[in-house]
Amino acid sequence: MSEPVIDAVDVVKFLGRGAGRLQALKGVNLSLRGGELVLLMGPSGSGKTTLLSILGCLMTPTSGMVRVRGRPVANLDPEALAKIRRDHVGFIFQSYHLFPTLTAEDNVRLALDVRGERSQSKAARDVLGMVGLAHKTKAFPHELSGGEQQRVAIARAIVGKASAILADEPTGALDAQNGQAIMTLLAEFAKDQSRGVLVVTHDPRILPFANRIVHIEDGCIVGEEVVREAKRMSMS
Ligand SMILES: Nc1ncnc2c1ncn2[C@@H]1O[C@H](COP(=O)(O)OP(=O)(O)OP(=O)(O)O)[C@@H](O)[C@H]1O
Ligand SMILES: [Mg+2]
């Protein structure tokens, strides 16, 4: 089986202060391997977004550790963490996190520029075409609907060369047709044996795209189903 692109080892996370302090994650182990699309499902408040943030190195665990491509992320300064995020992780958040003063095309192109590549307008436009927004490349976020903004965020995550895409309810704001199209793109991305996709969802329509479903409740992984084996690289 492919190597993990990101894994969490015995991750514990406390959040909040004083009387509001709570244990959001209670010793979580989770590997995202190359070539697989994993769904993370669980009730509201069970720790899904917290786990995604820790896997994506946006938040550090209270104890335990995250490894990116096998390399422990512990004890890195903010600059080194930012570099790991930039080089390895594409995020799709519940809220879209687009830059309001940039057009759709420039929001997507930014992901390429940040990676030190030359401005690649064509690549940005191509990927916007893939998410059905070829006609909106010059629009600013406030000129787009919620679903359209989400598709720009998805384009931005897949245009780079991230090892992993971590997506928090990526189809929540989309109708059935657009949700289907986006999941097809994410599944395509995950066919690459060096890249994995982890999707937080409540949406049963996403189930057919999964290789594996991980269930989380009250900060603990409580079960896992392998839906179908991730496509393997031929060993010939
Ligand atoms: N900054 C914070 N301070 C204190 N508690 C927090 C903080 N952020 C989240 N929590 C709590 O941590 C727990 C896990 O939150 P998390 O956002 O990971 O849940 P979730 O599974 O993503 O839920 P949802 O499906 O509603 O998005 C919840 O009980 C939440 O109230
Ligand atoms: Mg959440």
Side-chain angles (χ1 to χ4, degrees), residues 30-231:
L30 179 68
S31 290
L32 177 65
R33 294 181 177 277
E36 69 172 356
L37 191 152
V38 176
L39 300 187
L40 179 63
M41 304 186 85
S44 181
S46 56
K48 303 181 297 295
T49 297
T50 306
L51 180 55
L52 216 65
S53 304
I54 289 177
L55 285 168
C57 306
L58 283 171
M59 203 186 248
T60 53
T62 308
S63 67
M65 71 166 168
V66 167
R67 288 186 295 226
V68 175
R69 294 209 165 276
R71 181 173 163 227
V73 170
N75 301 323
L76 295 181
D77 57 43
E79 208 171 302
L81 281 177
K83 184 173 182 337
I84 289 179
R85 287 198 297 271
R86 188 190 70 197
D87 291 344
H88 293 290
V89 187
F91 284 104
I92 303 167
F93 293 98
Q94 269 171 309
S95 49
Y96 322 115
H97 289 265
L98 299 180
F99 290 92
T101 57
L102 298 181
T103 63
E105 180 180 318
D106 287 343
N107 261 286
V108 174
R109 212 180 54 182
L110 192 70
L112 295 170
D113 291 343
V114 164
R115 285 184 172 78
E117 297 175 28
R118 273 180 290 125
S119 290
Q120 295 196 15
S121 301
K122 182 169 182 312
R125 285 198 300 270
D126 286 351
V127 77
L128 282 167
M130 287 161 68
V131 298
L133 289 178
H135 58 304
K136 298 275 186 178
T137 56
K138 300 299 178 199
F140 289 92
H142 73 271
E143 297 169 329
L144 298 170
S145 72
E148 288 167 344
Q149 290 179 54
Q150 181 65 311
R151 283 185 275 157
V152 176
I154 289 163
R156 190 175 57 184
I158 59 180
V159 76
K161 296 192 171 62
S163 311
I165 287 186
L166 306 177
D168 207 345
E169 295 276 4
T171 60
L174 303 179
D175 60 25
Q177 196 184 346
N178 280 310
Q180 184 87 10
I182 292 308
M183 286 312 300
T184 303
L185 278 175
L186 291 180
E188 196 60 37
F189 180 96
K191 278 188 185 152
D192 183 333
Q193 295 298 305
S194 65
R195 304 169 121 189
V197 177
L198 181 67
V199 177
V200 168
T201 188
H202 293 104
D203 186 349
R205 296 173 303 185
I206 289 185
L207 292 174
F209 293 93
N211 302 114
R212 194 153 61 94
I213 303 170
V214 174
H215 297 277
I216 183 168
E217 277 175 29
D218 195 22
C220 300
I221 304 288
V222 293
E224 172 179 316
E225 301 147 57
V226 175
V227 182
R228 59 193 158 86
E229 288 290 308
K231 191 165 158 274

